[in-house]
Amino acid sequence: AMYAAKRHRTAVERWRPELAAGTDLRLQAELRTAIDQGELVLHYQPLVDARTGAVVSLEALVRWDHPRHGLLSPAAFLPGAERSEVIQALTDRVLSEAIAQTARWHRTGWPVPVAVNLPAPVLAQDRIVGVIEGLLTEHRLPADALIVEITESAVMTRPDRSADHLRKIRELGVRVAMDDFGTGYTSLALLTQLPLDELKLDQTFVHGIHHARERAIVEAVAAMAKGLHLTLVAEGVEDQETADILTAAGFDVLQGYHFGRPVPPDRLDVATPARVPS
Ligand code: C2E
Ligand code: MG
Ligand code: MG
Ligand code: MG
């Protein structure tokens, strides 16, 4: 069993009580080395205006370019990383790389905003506000070129501290998006209290849009987002028909394979950003 876990990194996803601790420790040690060696890479996926199709922002998505196992998706290593301190270093690296890349795009005439995912244990730490402020200053990036995506669990784990940090991050001018909305445990009251700019409806509802129940949720969330003056984003849009339904329902921004898959930064066409490779 130990041998299998070593050969296939994704084995960390298949939790086995007798292996979990050791697998986590090895993963965390290897991740530290990977961060130092620059093996974490960011791919970028476009978000488009539902009405015009113009690219309005990008989401940075981390991958591990593993020397033996190839390009690993976040599902293979993020859950293990989030169970330890290494998630702090990983997120620092992601923020630093995303902000540096965004600043390069801004300098070369493409002022596109970029979204970074902030995991719960990172948002709970006091240091996160200073980390973000320091990186924006270092790379001279305007704060409104950065969006942080948080999940419902991120604000529910340590509600007071996380909401306080989020407020301070937003006071810098950074925008805040609630990711995977509808899959967590946010009370609707919290939505009115949190400093939010965007709501990203989880892709499970988008994929089920042809069913009456998912459709009802999609339309109710659209009405709620409008009432709360939140920019409403749908993720996981894989075809034109779904895009049309969401646009008619009032969604502002769409993200999904239909408009472009996550790609390395040099594969995004900066001159004509609407035509990203798909
Ligand atoms: P997410 O933030 O909700 O990101 C969207 C995920 O949906 C991405 O998966 C993206 O590749 C995928 N996706 C986009 N369009 C479509 C589509 O049309 N159909 C389908 N089926 N999927 C689509 P990915 O890159 O594997 O990331 C998975 C999750 O890992 C992310 O979900 C996010 O929670 C987390 N993640 C990714 N990068 C980072 C990071 O840098 N830091 C942290 N903390 N978490 C990250
Ligand atoms: Mg996200
Ligand atoms: Mg999401
Ligand atoms: Mg998701």
Side-chain angles (χ1 to χ4, degrees):
M2 288 298 280
Y3 180 62
K6 193 175 182 184
R7 272 179 64 227
H8 301 288
R9 177 82 36 216
T10 49
V12 296
E13 291 174 89
R14 282 186 269 122
W15 187 75
R16 293 199 208 115
E18 75 278 14
L19 276 184
T23 307
D24 257 15
L25 286 178
R26 187 168 55 225
L27 170 74
Q28 288 151 17
E30 287 193 23
L31 259 177
R32 279 192 197 285
T33 311
I35 293 166
D36 291 343
Q37 316 247 313
E39 289 171 16
L40 293 187
V41 296
L42 293 181
H43 285 191
Y44 296 85
Q45 184 180 31
L47 283 79
V48 306
D49 183 300
R51 277 150 206 89
T52 67
V55 173
V56 295
S57 60
L58 304 171
E59 179 172 4
L61 296 158
V62 71
R63 279 92 181 85
W64 182 354
D65 193 0
H66 196 284
R68 292 190 311 281
H69 304 292
L71 203 63
L72 300 179
S73 79
F77 58 90
L78 267 183
E82 289 195 16
R83 286 190 290 268
S84 90
E85 281 298 303
V86 79
I87 192 62
Q88 307 289 341
L90 185 152
T91 305
D92 284 2
R93 175 54 60 93
V94 168
L95 278 166
S96 164
E97 183 52 41
I99 289 172
Q101 178 62 65
T102 309
R104 280 195 287 277
W105 278 322
H106 279 237
R107 280 197 301 274
T108 54
W110 189 28
V112 66
V114 171
V116 172
N117 293 282
L118 269 198
V122 172
L123 187 62
Q125 295 286 322
D126 289 337
R127 64 186 289 279
I128 188 59
V129 183
V131 167
I132 290 176
E133 185 171 24
L135 286 168
L136 290 171
T137 306
E138 180 189 339
H139 295 280
R140 298 190 201 166
L141 186 71
D144 64 1
L146 181 68
I147 302 161
V148 295
E149 297 193 1
I150 55 147
T151 60
E152 297 171 86
S153 70
V155 272
M156 293 316 281
T157 342
R158 314 282 290 270
D160 291 346
R161 295 179 65 176
S162 297
D164 177 51
H165 299 158
L166 216 49
R167 255 187 298 280
K168 288 176 175 147
I169 290 168
R170 195 160 178 260
E171 276 164 16
L172 299 174
V174 174
R175 278 180 283 165
V176 178
M178 172 71 83
D179 204 359
D180 301 343
F181 182 68
T183 60
Y185 301 95
T186 315
S187 74
L188 293 180
L190 193 64
L191 271 190
T192 68
Q193 290 153 27
L194 283 174
L196 292 179
D197 300 281
E198 297 179 12
L199 211 56
K200 297 184 80 173
L201 182 67
D202 190 71
Q203 32 185 303
T204 52
F205 301 105
V206 174
H207 294 160
I209 200 149
H210 294 289
H211 303 285
R213 285 190 299 182
E214 277 83 0
R215 184 72 161 266
I217 301 254
V218 163
E219 278 160 10
V221 169
M224 189 185 72
K226 190 164 216 125
L228 295 172
H229 304 289
L230 297 171
T231 299
L232 185 57
V233 183
E235 48 181 24
V237 181
E238 295 182 353
D239 53 67
Q240 186 61 48
E241 194 188 351
T242 303
D244 291 342
I245 294 171
L246 291 164
T247 305
F251 279 67
D252 305 295
V253 174
L254 307 177
Q255 175 181 11
Y257 296 164
H258 180 60
F259 302 101
R261 290 186 178 253
V263 292
D266 58 355
R267 289 196 40 209
L268 283 166
D269 190 342
V270 179
T272 50
R275 284 189 286 114
V276 289
S278 57

